[in-house]
Amino acid sequence: MSKVPLSPPAVVEIERCDLSSEENNSSHRTELNGEERLIVRRGQAFNITLHLKAGSKDFQPGDSSFTFTAQTGPQPRKESDTDVSFKLCESIVDSEWSASVTTCVGNTVCVSISSSPSAPIGVYALILDQEGQKTSLGQFILLFNPWCPSEYIRLFIQRRICVFFSTGPLCCLTGDAVYMQSETKRQEYVLSQHGQIYRGTHKRIKGTPWNFGQFEPGILDICLKILDKNPKFVFDAAKDCSARGSPVYVTRVLSAMINSNDDRGVLVGKWWDYSGGVHPGNWVGSGDILRQWAERGPVRFGQCWVFAAVACTVSRALGIPCRVVTNFGSAHDTNANLVIENVYDEHGEAISPDSIWNFHVWVDSWMTRPDLGSEYDGWQTSDPTPQETSDGVFCCGPASLRAIKEGELTKKYDTPFIFAEVNADVVDMVRLSDGQLVQISGSTKSVGCFISTKAVGSDKRHDVTHQYKYPEGSKEERQVYEKAQHHNKLQQRGEEPGLQLKIKLAERMFVGSDFEVHAVLTNNHMETRTCTFTFLARAVGYSGKLGETCGLVSDKVELLSGGVKRLTLKLEYNVYRSAITSDRLIQLVAFTLNKETTECSKAEKTIVLDEPDIEIQLMGEATVKQPVAVELTLLNPLPEPLQDCSFTIEGTGLTDGTPVTARVASVGPAEEAKASVELRPSSSGSTVLLVNFDSDKLRNIKSFVNVFVKDHEEV
């Protein structure tokens, strides 16, 4: 019985697509941006309606070939998550791009689409593909979503207030990295367009009103333009757009782009002589600044509170919860030693670059830190005021408030600089005429006080000093400062806290030779550490399968803080020769263990033993159908004879497609294996001669030489 061929999926004709901007924008809390276009938040479903042409085939979801594609950036790529395709399914999947038909009545098909909660933000094109027939459905803007919790948090909320839920899952499986649980805080840090910025001195703090205006007409487009003007986008647009799924990345980009020092960013900083621009104190909102930048380039002038306010506007516009923070008695540590050294001459004139500002203003943004660990989630400080460079660019942060408070200065980004701003010690010194420095006073309490931000839901000042540091003079504050000093030195050396292991190799590690390798243990703790220190060598195959042990050394060590212990392991040929395979690989493993604390550390490195070179020499020009000799030489590096030696050569147009083998008698230690092979090339042009040496103890030594064969008529 013959099979009936299956009919291809039906292709329906689309007359138009209604993106339902008014309804979607309202449910995604973006309606303040207007209702003329679709603006949605990631990880949350939105609905579109497809209107089919009259007379088109009836739409049947089960017989549909609908494939949706969402693309963002000038170079959309699937591997970069900037070109995503997804088919219709029975119901949307909260953790990834997905689509599902909700209703199908007459010539209208309603489709629910959900984006990934980690998708890059930006402008997207939505395309429908039916068996290769593509239809553009329109564009939409995708933003970060502080309302999108993880599945775990959603279920927790449902258990507590399940009586209010009559529908299915609210949001995504993994959650948006900027999710903020409190609705009152979301209203304040995402949706509020007005705020207070605190200035003055710690004894006279004055709030200044500011209009953030993130939902004013055109502002969102300008914020997206800022991302598209940053140097990372100009250098590699595909990579930059892909990275926009991370609020850490976006916040660091904004920190650089709000100032104009490197990249024709938004604001020019100026602290004196404001001719040719606007006095920073005259600005009352971000909108005018951003519109001027979009029309004419960098705006003159701004100072710290203006930089921070504009950064807050852009962050909130993109969906990142953000607050403006003022630090009174803010240190500017120019030499990164966590000490403000106020040096004066004998006349009382300040002659040092370090300084303490009456106040300094930056922003905190709310997000997870998967690059650091969940304990560093929450508020992250970034500072768009151009003070010092970071990775060669005038930017700063984001740095976790948890890392700042605990003195974890090896945690990126720029934590040492921000820690010093809120917790540096101060030393006052006089430089005498003979060059001698004399300390006259000092303080551990004058930096970082009354750190302030606007309170949630009111215009009152909220003191957040406790989020940045322990109480001044407390035992915890001094302990953190000492740890910070320790971590700062490690960070400047590019090292991490704890017991650090490194494996050092010999410069030359030829097969057949004896050589030494070293394991170096450094105690980067602040206290003495005791542990068992082991250094092991084992043969290993290319597949990772471990063989016999080639060497082992172990010791019980006690290391003072900053102490270094070196274990040396001598690898001898008469030990490793029978263990290694023809791959000539040896795995080195260094390991420390403290059984009492269970603290351990490990370093691993695989080495490839150097092999001898094969010298290949053509004894004349290679010509078609003319004989030419090839001389082959290899020096035996082993301290013992080689038996069953042979050279095998092969080359297209040189050996008639058949390998040619030349056998050699036994070769003693430090002696040369030599062979001569005659070739008679069959075709002209460029080719390659491959050579392999084999013996009982030294196998699969390979080399090659490029050969140009002349045509017989050219000679």
Side-chain angles (χ1 to χ4, degrees):
M1 183 176 179
S2 61
K3 293 182 179 180
V4 177
L6 295 175
S7 301
V11 174
V12 299
E13 296 183 79
I14 308 296
E15 182 177 271
R16 63 184 175 88
C17 175
D18 183 0
L19 296 179
S20 305
S21 300
E22 182 177 351
E23 295 82 2
N24 285 320
N25 289 6
S26 177
S27 65
H28 284 250
R29 303 168 183 84
T30 62
E31 70 276 8
L32 292 176
N33 285 298
E35 300 171 346
E36 298 78 21
R37 55 183 176 169
L38 181 59
I39 303 172
V40 295
R41 301 187 186 276
R42 63 186 192 173
Q44 181 178 338
F46 60 93
N47 300 310
I48 64 172
T49 302
L50 302 177
H51 295 269
L52 311 185
K53 289 185 177 179
S56 175
K57 294 182 179 180
D58 290 339
F59 177 79
Q60 300 294 334
D63 190 32
S64 160
S65 64
F66 277 19
T67 297
F68 293 92
T69 299
Q71 298 178 334
T72 186
Q75 301 166 6
R77 296 176 182 172
K78 294 186 183 301
E79 62 271 20
S80 302
D81 295 328
T82 52
D83 183 350
V84 184
S85 296
F86 46 100
K87 295 181 179 295
L88 284 177
C89 50
E90 290 187 5
S91 61
I92 57 173
V93 181
D94 301 323
S95 59
E96 60 187 41
W97 287 93
S98 58
S100 175
V101 173
T102 56
T103 59
C104 181
V105 180
N107 282 353
T108 62
V109 179
C110 297
V111 180
S112 180
I113 296 176
S114 182
S115 61
S116 165
S118 59
I121 64 164
V123 179
Y124 277 79
L126 185 62
I127 302 164
L128 174 63
D129 187 340
Q130 300 182 78
E131 299 297 316
Q133 180 178 315
K134 297 184 178 181
T135 305
S136 174
L137 302 180
Q139 287 189 335
F140 65 94
I141 295 175
L142 188 66
L143 304 178
F144 291 109
N145 191 357
W147 283 266
C148 183
S150 67
E151 179 72 359
Y152 174 83
I153 295 175
R154 185 191 64 79
L155 291 173
F156 175 76
I157 295 173
Q158 281 185 323
R159 282 196 298 269
R160 295 185 61 184
I161 53 175
C162 58
V163 66
F164 296 103
F165 291 155
S166 59
T167 61
L170 291 181
C171 245
C172 56
L173 179 66
T174 56
D176 196 303
V178 302
Y179 171 69
M180 177 174 269
Q181 187 171 349
S182 167
E183 176 60 23
T184 55
K185 290 182 179 179
R186 292 190 295 242
Q187 292 289 328
E188 179 69 46
Y189 298 132
V190 182
L191 299 183
S192 176
Q193 298 193 77
H194 307 283
Q196 293 280 331
I197 301 174
Y198 295 95
R199 299 160 61 191
T201 69
H202 72 277
K203 292 186 176 181
R204 188 175 179 82
I205 299 174
K206 181 175 177 56
T208 302
W210 190 271
N211 179 29
F212 296 116
Q214 66 267 31
F215 298 116
E216 291 178 5
I219 294 301
L220 178 56
D221 294 298
I222 296 172
C223 295
L224 294 171
K225 181 178 180 179
I226 290 173
L227 297 181
D228 287 346
K229 290 296 182 180
N230 95 83
K232 294 180 179 179
F233 177 86
V234 175
F235 179 73
D236 189 337
K239 184 177 180 181
D240 176 79
C241 288
S242 176
R244 293 181 188 178
S246 165
V248 176
Y249 177 84
V250 171
T251 298
R252 189 155 174 81
V253 166
L254 295 181
S255 173
M257 282 299 296
I258 299 303
N259 70 74
S260 64
N261 284 42
D262 306 290
D263 40 37
R264 290 189 58 78
V266 177
L267 276 162
V268 179
K270 200 70 177 290
W271 282 261
W272 62 89
D273 185 12
Y274 306 109
S275 57
V278 176
H279 189 291
N282 289 347
W283 300 112
V284 295
S286 305
D288 193 23
I289 295 171
L290 289 168
R291 281 186 283 267
Q292 286 190 36
W293 174 80
E295 294 172 3
R296 299 190 292 271
V299 178
R300 303 171 182 269
F301 295 104
Q303 290 182 10
C304 64
W305 69 92
V306 186
F307 286 112
V310 173
C312 184
T313 294
V314 179
S315 298
R316 291 184 181 182
L318 298 178
I320 302 174
C322 190
R323 66 186 186 185
V324 178
V325 176
T326 302
N327 177 39
F328 290 94
S330 189
H332 185 173
D333 180 20
T334 57
N335 63 355
N337 66 349
L338 309 187
V339 178
I340 300 302
E341 296 154 316
N342 295 322
V343 183
Y344 305 90
D345 63 18
E346 293 182 353
H347 303 289
E349 289 286 332
I351 57 175
S352 60
D354 283 356
S355 60
I356 299 178
W357 299 12
N358 284 331
F359 68 90
H360 182 53
V361 186
W362 54 65
V363 292
D364 286 346
S365 304
W366 184 270
M367 65 195 70
T368 61
R369 290 301 300 264
D371 55 329
L372 303 182
S374 60
E375 63 268 36
Y376 298 101
D377 293 350
W379 288 117
Q380 316 288 322
T381 294
S382 62
D383 189 351
T385 300
Q387 297 181 83
E388 303 289 337
T389 59
S390 173
D391 295 331
V393 177
F394 278 98
C395 67
C396 183
S400 162
L401 259 66
R402 168 73 183 274
I404 296 167
K405 182 173 182 176
E406 299 298 335
E408 298 286 349
L409 302 198
T410 60
K411 306 300 181 184
K412 57 188 180 184
Y413 295 89
D414 308 307
T415 307
F417 185 80
I418 301 171
F419 178 89
E421 286 185 303
V422 300
N423 215 6
D425 284 353
V426 179
V427 176
D428 295 328
M429 296 180 286
V430 172
R431 185 182 298 278
L432 303 179
S433 57
D434 61 3
Q436 180 181 356
L437 283 173
V438 178
Q439 181 173 336
I440 54 176
S441 62
S443 172
T444 63
K445 301 179 181 180
S446 57
V447 167
C449 53
F450 297 96
I451 303 175
S452 305
T453 191
K454 177 185 173 298
V456 174
S458 80
D459 290 326
K460 294 181 179 180
R461 184 184 74 87
H462 177 48
D463 194 297
V464 293
T465 308
H466 64 284
Q467 296 180 14
Y468 281 86
K469 59 196 292 187
Y470 287 97
E472 286 290 1
S474 67
K475 178 181 177 181
E476 293 87 352
E477 188 270 338
R478 281 295 89 190
Q479 288 176 338
V480 165
Y481 184 81
E482 291 172 4
K483 180 172 71 172
Q485 281 283 15
H486 179 68
H487 283 199
N488 192 43
K489 293 174 183 177
L490 296 178
Q491 194 266 346
Q492 292 173 357
R493 298 200 303 261
E495 298 179 5
E496 292 288 332
L499 290 175
Q500 300 298 313
L501 270 174
K502 292 183 179 179
I503 295 176
K504 303 288 187 180
L505 304 179
E507 289 187 9
R508 300 172 67 85
M509 297 179 292
F510 278 100
V511 61
S513 67
D514 299 342
F515 56 91
E516 292 182 343
V517 289
H518 310 276
V520 182
L521 174 64
T522 304
N523 181 13
N524 284 343
H525 284 290
M526 297 177 66
E527 308 85 13
T528 299
R529 284 292 191 272
T530 301
C531 63
T532 301
F533 187 7
T534 304
F535 193 20
L536 171 70
R538 294 182 70 178
V540 63
Y542 79 94
S543 65
K545 183 178 180 181
L546 294 173
E548 297 178 15
T549 299
C550 304
L552 171 67
V553 62
S554 183
D555 193 10
K556 188 170 184 179
V557 298
E558 182 178 355
L559 276 181
L560 299 175
S561 176
V564 177
K565 172 68 177 180
R566 177 185 292 249
L567 282 186
T568 299
L569 183 60
K570 186 173 184 180
L571 295 178
E572 300 175 335
Y573 172 69
N574 63 2
V575 176
Y576 69 72
R577 66 176 179 177
S578 61
I580 62 173
T581 68
S582 59
D583 301 314
R584 294 180 288 280
L585 300 174
I586 296 178
Q587 183 189 78
L588 304 174
V589 178
F591 188 77
T592 67
L593 174 63
N594 184 321
K595 290 185 177 181
E596 294 181 1
T597 64
T598 68
E599 179 185 16
C600 58
S601 55
K602 177 187 175 186
E604 183 179 306
K605 190 169 288 187
T606 299
I607 61 175
V608 183
L609 298 180
D610 297 324
E611 60 189 36
D613 295 325
I614 300 175
E615 182 182 337
I616 308 170
Q617 187 174 5
L618 266 68
M619 309 306 290
E621 292 185 337
T623 306
V624 174
K625 297 183 180 179
Q626 299 297 312
V628 60
V630 180
E631 299 288 343
L632 307 170
T633 306
L634 178 140
L635 178 66
N636 177 14
L638 306 185
E640 58 183 332
L642 300 177
Q643 306 292 338
D644 302 323
C645 305
S646 65
F647 290 97
T648 299
I649 65 173
E650 183 178 352
T652 302
L654 297 175
T655 60
D656 292 329
T658 303
V660 177
T661 299
R663 303 201 177 277
V664 183
S666 64
V667 180
E671 291 184 357
E672 291 182 336
K674 289 179 173 290
S676 180
V677 180
E678 184 178 276
L679 301 176
R680 194 176 292 269
S682 59
S683 59
S684 61
S686 298
T687 186
V688 177
L689 180 65
L690 306 176
V691 181
N692 180 74
F693 176 84
D694 200 20
S695 69
D696 63 333
K697 303 180 183 69
L698 202 57
R699 308 185 65 88
N700 300 330
I701 309 298
K702 291 179 167 57
S703 188
F704 72 96
V705 65
N706 294 310
V707 178
F708 182 78
V709 180
K710 291 185 175 182
D711 195 285
H712 186 66
E713 297 177 356
E714 298 178 15
V715 180

